[in-house]
Amino acid sequence: MIAKIGIDLGTANTSIFLPGKGIVLTEPTVVAVDELTNKILAVGQEAKDMIGKTPGDIKIYRPLREGVIADYKSTLAILRYFLNKIKTSKFFKPILVISVPAGITSTEKKAVIDAAIEAGAKEVYPIREPLLAALGADLPINLPSGQMIVNIGGGTTEIAVISLGGIVTWDSIRIAGDKFDEAIREYLRRKFNLAVGEKTAEIVKVKIGCALINKETENLNMNVNGINILTGLPVTVKIYSQNISEALQRNLKEIILSIKKVLSQTPPELISDIMEKGIVLSGGGALLRNLDQMIYEYTGVPTFVAEDPLFCVARGTGKIIDKLDLYRRVLLSHK
């Protein structure tokens, strides 16, 4: 029997969906390469654990940048690794449904298809992320009604208004989780003369990060270890949620500007639906505390975080797989 597999091929993480089993695997989209031999040493979580700890001849690569393939060989290694790990049949090549950014070019789309075929797939269906995120968030995208999804991933934030199974208006900006981490690192360097690695910045974001400060978040804090850039010596600094909110404001307001842009381009009848049903947030960035409140304050549109937002896109691939006939028009229009 031919396996059908859904893959959320993300800039930061890749998730695998199998019919009847759900999400069976999630690991970082990271590859470790020995530069001397050009050999791939580790993939996924094992490779991410090496970040900031490798000798000069071992390099860590994120093969996807802003949601598209930047390193073909590493992307191929990632896909092969995942397909091998879930033990797909050696005799029957699987059919893959893979997430791609809304703004992907035909060349970029072809690179995804080629890599998946070379990794062992029989057929590949690249589907735009906002559609998958909306499906994974249980939005009724096939109805003649406006549904607005904001999917904040690792490399891109994708904003779309969907109706009748298609994207009516959309925007994609290269500001998302990775840029949040960069902003935190830069802020700590500027404000506290504290140099930290990208893994530390991500931990800070998860533990005390927030978009707006309120009574629940004002006292959140943690001790952060790093290097004092003036003395070159190790140091520990107590950081508060207020600091991280300040660090993220510029990026968050860029996302809100993009949301406003999509709203301004949306037909009035669909705006009416969105005002009634609200904006739905998905992706790992949706987990940032009080982000829904901030978007509501700046747009006036009720905003909600999807259930288990990190895996909305992966769940969406599963819904495409389960009802291939129902979504065939979507599949064919985005091949």
Side-chain angles (χ1 to χ4, degrees), residues 176-245:
D178 289 347
K179 283 290 195 295
F180 293 170
D181 296 343
E182 287 178 24
I184 290 169
R185 293 179 70 187
E186 174 57 31
Y187 179 90
L188 295 180
R189 190 177 185 90
R190 187 179 68 251
K191 184 88 171 178
F192 299 100
N193 296 317
L194 181 67
V196 300
E198 60 183 81
K199 287 175 68 177
T200 299
E202 183 180 10
I203 291 168
V204 170
K205 176 182 68 179
V206 171
K207 287 193 172 182
I208 64 171
C210 59
L212 292 177
I213 299 298
N214 58 18
K215 288 184 179 179
E216 294 178 0
T217 60
E218 63 184 357
N219 294 318
L220 285 176
N221 67 83
M222 66 179 290
N223 290 325
V224 179
N225 299 322
I227 300 290
N228 184 305
I229 60 175
L230 299 180
T231 66
L233 296 175
V235 66
T236 300
V237 178
K238 179 173 282 191
I239 306 297
Y240 287 84
S241 56
Q242 176 69 45
N243 300 128
I244 307 308
S245 177

Side-chain angles (χ1 to χ4, degrees), residues 102 128 130 147-149 158-163 166-172 258-267 270-271 274:
R128 292 195 284 179
Q147 313 286 338
M148 189 168 189
I149 188 86
E158 312 243 299
I159 302 123
V161 173
I162 300 168
S163 180
I167 295 176
V168 180
T169 58
W170 66 276
D171 194 21
S172 178
S258 186
I259 291 171
K260 288 181 175 181
K261 175 184 172 184
V262 172
L263 287 169
S264 71
Q265 296 171 346
T266 301
L270 296 182
I271 283 291
I274 293 165

Side-chain angles (χ1 to χ4, degrees), residues 22-246:
I23 297 162
V24 296
L25 198 61
T26 298
E27 289 198 36
T29 313
V30 181
V31 177
V33 178
D34 185 332
E35 295 283 276
L36 297 178
T37 63
N38 205 28
K39 181 182 177 182
I40 291 172
L41 300 177
V43 178
Q45 187 61 52
E46 186 181 353
K48 186 174 182 179
D49 289 341
M50 297 180 180
I51 292 176
K53 302 176 182 179
T54 61
D57 56 340
I58 297 177
K59 300 296 182 184
I60 307 297
Y61 290 98
R62 285 189 169 186
L64 275 75
R65 293 291 178 190
E66 284 86 36
V68 298
I69 293 177
D71 185 318
Y72 185 88
K73 179 184 175 183
S74 296
T75 303
L76 178 59
I78 286 275
L79 290 171
R80 280 180 173 157
Y81 169 80
F82 277 97
L83 293 179
N84 288 335
K85 196 158 186 179
I86 61 174
K87 295 180 172 61
T88 57
S89 171
K90 295 180 180 179
F91 304 103
F92 298 101
K93 293 184 175 183
I95 295 172
L96 303 186
V97 173
I98 299 183
S99 65
V100 294
I104 194 169
T105 67
S106 57
T107 302
E108 291 165 343
K109 190 183 295 185
K110 184 177 184 301
V112 172
I113 295 171
D114 290 347
I117 294 293
E118 193 173 345
K122 178 185 178 183
E123 298 174 29
V124 183
Y125 294 98
I127 308 296
R128 292 195 284 179
E129 279 182 10
L131 290 169
L132 294 173
L135 283 169
D138 293 324
L139 300 184
I141 70 168
N142 285 299
L143 297 179
S145 174
Q147 313 286 338
M148 189 168 189
I149 188 86
V150 177
N151 187 63
I152 308 170
T156 60
T157 293
E158 312 243 299
I159 302 123
V161 173
I162 300 168
S163 180
L164 290 170
I167 295 176
V168 180
T169 58
W170 66 276
D171 194 21
S172 178
I173 58 172
R174 295 177 176 183
I175 295 174
D178 289 347
K179 283 290 195 295
F180 293 170
D181 296 343
E182 287 178 24
I184 290 169
R185 293 179 70 187
E186 174 57 31
Y187 179 90
L188 295 180
R189 190 177 185 90
R190 187 179 68 251
K191 184 88 171 178
F192 299 100
N193 296 317
L194 181 67
V196 300
E198 60 183 81
K199 287 175 68 177
T200 299
E202 183 180 10
I203 291 168
V204 170
K205 176 182 68 179
V206 171
K207 287 193 172 182
I208 64 171
C210 59
L212 292 177
I213 299 298
N214 58 18
K215 288 184 179 179
E216 294 178 0
T217 60
E218 63 184 357
N219 294 318
L220 285 176
N221 67 83
M222 66 179 290
N223 290 325
V224 179
N225 299 322
I227 300 290
N228 184 305
I229 60 175
L230 299 180
T231 66
L233 296 175
V235 66
T236 300
V237 178
K238 179 173 282 191
I239 306 297
Y240 287 84
S241 56
Q242 176 69 45
N243 300 128
I244 307 308
S245 177
E246 288 176 14

